[in-house]
Each structure stands twice: as structure tokens, then as C-alpha cells.
Amino acid sequence: MSRPASATIHTDALQHNLAEVRRRAPGSRVMAVVKADGYGHGLERVAQALAGADAFGVASIADAERIRATGSSKRIVLLSGFFEPADLSLIRRLQLDTVVHHETQLAMIEADRDPAPLRLWVKFDSGMHRLGFDLADAERVAERIRALPQCAEAPVWMTHFARSDEFEAAATADQVARFDAALECLGGARSLSNSAAVLGWPAAHRDWVRAGGALYGLSVVAGKTGADFGLRPAMSLTSRLVAVNHVPEGEAIGYGGVYVARRPLRVGIVALGYGDGYPRVAPSGTPVLVGGQRAPTVGRVSMDLMAIDLSHLPAAQVGDPVTLWGPDLPVEHIAEAAGTISYELTCGITRRVRFVED
Ligand SMILES: *Cc1c(COP(=O)(O)O)cnc(C)c1O
């Protein structure tokens, strides 16, 4: 038998979540953000399951190429734009939309002599201070875009939120107000919202929402799971028990001996570790599911294996399936234990894990 570490991708959950995003943003078109291999769920399968979206958002031309190779002719947006003049011919050949967020990119388009059309999304910095033109330059940037002969179609004006997951904070409303004020005189479509804004900032939905995490059933809102917003997790990470051993009281378990049995323990060894993408920093006590019952990890997660306490589950035996996260064990809880967010965990599943669909 092959190694039992598996990621099961629930394509019906992806479709449910897309419908849920549409229900929450009924007046908006939906860009399904599928960067980082579909947040670790597998780009081609995600693109196929989310074929009902109005566009895909990616971070690299290589990812767009993979989507085109599936036969999809859907609109695809390069969310960080392009990096050198030669990219423009690839963008045209693959019929991609590109974000333009910086003077250097605008200059490359101005110097470009190919008359074939380009579709642009022009990004402004409204307060995140990562990518985007200064809003104070909005008029000048818009004039230069209008002057481009290859950009006859009006661009989509966009910005990105830094704190839209904080529904009570003023930061997002401030960003919206700054964006609106600076672009007041410009016609055309607008795109502001990521998943958290789809969930918490209806006034920011506008023409296009850009949803990533929500489509995979993930929450970025602290203390909440995707299920709290009616979303369904699209990934289950599972493996099996490959050993069940008795550890006497006073003995330490695993590397570094950091966990010491305070009573005799029945310890299960699961064939899954940080080499599969499970966070090594998850401390003892992080839950897994065995036969639907919770069991805590004990000791350090190692590369291929991890130990769990089965003392309260006398029926558990070698070969039993173990769930590391999934619909009945929110990945948000594992992420919280590991001091990170769910996105990093699903993105971090490694290539040796077998991917299956249901
Ligand atoms: C990744 C990304 C998104 C999606 O963010 P989620 O929180 O996953 O919804 C939206 N817009 C841009 C520009 C992004 O880079």
C-alpha cells in the first residue's frame, strides 16, 4: 500500500462556497482567486470546479498557462501584474488581463509597440501600502492609461484591504472613503473586496469581488471558522495509524523528549508529519480525529510521523483513519494552535501527499 497521507478535495464544497459568495455579493461579478495552486487544493481541479466564476485571479503567468491548458477560455487576471516587457507578449498570447500597480509597469506598456489589445486592472494604494499607485496621482495615471492605444477597453480600478477581517475596525471604511474620493471623477468598474470584505463589508462589494479563502471554506476572521459563515471546508487532510504502543509513566515521547507521560499512555503513531505540510510548531494537545473522536497530539511533530494519545479510545487500532483537519475538525483550529492562519496550512501541503477528489 502507498503511504496513506491524503488530501481529499471536496469539489462540491468549492461550488457551494462560490454560490455562497454570489449570494452575499449579488450585485457583483466574482473573481475566483486561485493563486498558490488554488490555495494548495490543486489549480486545475479548482479551476474546473469553479468554472462558474466570472474570472480567475492568479499570481503568475505559469499558473494562467496551466488554466489555459485545461481548455478554459475564462478571463484570467494577473494579480501582481507583469515583471518585464517580454511578459506582455505572453499575456497577449494567453489572453490574460493584467494588473498595473507601478510606474515601471506603466512605462513598459507605453514603450510597447504591439497594437494588439491589453486589458488592464489598475491598482491604487488606499492604505495597505503594499502594491498600488498613490491615490493622489489617480488623475494623472488615468490620463496615461487613456492615452494607451492598445488599451481601448476601460480598465477596472482596484485596491486591496489590509484589515477587512476586522469588522469593527475603522480601517476598511477609511480605505473605501479614500479610494472613492480620489476616483470620484473616473467612470468604469471597481474592485475592492477580498473574502473578508465579501463577508463583512457589503458597501465595498462594487463591480467585482475577488474571493480566495472563502471559496475554499476558510475563514480569516479571528476566532471564527468558515462554517460560521455558511462556508464548507474544501480540504480534508487524513492519514492512518501505523502503530499503537504503550508508553510507561515518566517516559518521554518523541524528539527532544518535550512531552513526558504523566501516567501510562496508549500512544498512536500517525503517518503524517511536517514533511507533508502539517505544522511542526503545533504543540502537544493539538486535536486530531480518530473514528470521529478527538485525540490530542503528544510530543513534537516529526517529518513523517506524529504521536497522539489514544488512552481514552481503547478500540482504536493500527490501520484506523486519522483526520488532521476537515469538515469535522476546522483547519482554523489547527492554524490557531500553530500560531498561523488556515491559508498557510492548506498552501503548505507538500507534493508527496496524495490528492484525491470526492
Ligand atoms: C489573494 C488576493 C485576494 C484574495 O484574498 P482572500 O483573502 O483569499 O479572499 C484578493 N485580491 C488580491 C489582490 C489578492 O492578492
Side-chain angles (χ1 to χ4, degrees), residues 31 33 35 39 79-80 123 130 158-160 192-196 210-214 216 220 343:
M31 179 197 299
V33 180
K35 60 197 186 193
Y39 289 46
L79 288 171
S80 305
K123 186 168 189 173
R130 190 177 61 178
M158 65 182 279
T159 193
H160 194 56
L192 297 81
S193 292
N194 55 2
S195 293
R210 308 185 304 270
Y216 307 96
V220 271
Y343 291 27

Side-chain angles (χ1 to χ4, degrees), residues 132-202:
F133 293 102
D134 193 326
L135 279 171
D137 296 331
E139 288 295 335
R140 272 184 299 261
V141 170
E143 237 165 72
R144 285 172 68 185
I145 301 271
R146 272 195 293 267
L148 295 168
Q150 63 277 60
C151 303
E153 192 172 326
V156 179
W157 310 111
M158 65 182 279
T159 193
H160 194 56
F161 294 134
R163 296 174 60 187
S164 52
D165 54 317
E166 300 168 50
F167 298 162
E168 312 303 325
T172 301
D174 285 352
Q175 283 195 255
V176 174
R178 286 196 222 176
F179 182 77
D180 283 349
L183 272 62
E184 203 181 353
C185 300
L186 300 179
R190 280 142 167 76
S191 178
L192 297 81
S193 292
N194 55 2
S195 293
V198 168
L199 301 176
W201 299 94

Side-chain angles (χ1 to χ4, degrees), residues 257-288:
V258 294
Y259 185 92
V260 177
R262 281 190 291 181
R263 51 189 167 77
L265 295 184
R266 191 164 178 264
V267 170
I269 304 299
V270 185
L272 196 130
Y274 66 80
D276 303 292
Y278 193 89
R280 180 178 175 278
V281 293
S284 293
T286 304
V288 307

Side-chain angles (χ1 to χ4, degrees), residues 310-325:
L310 293 174
S311 301
H312 61 303
L313 300 175
Q317 55 182 341
V318 171
D320 281 2
V322 178
T323 297
L324 291 311
W325 61 69

Side-chain angles (χ1 to χ4, degrees), residues 13 18 346:
L18 175 58
T346 63

Side-chain angles (χ1 to χ4, degrees), residues 10-18 20 41 213-218 225-235 326-327 332 358:
H10 311 296
T11 51
D12 55 342
L14 292 168
Q15 286 161 355
H16 166 88
N17 296 334
L18 175 58
E20 185 60 22
H41 295 65
L215 295 175
Y216 307 96
L218 306 174
T225 67
D228 292 330
F229 297 101
L231 304 168
R232 284 166 43 189
M235 179 190 287
E332 288 87 352
D358 78 351

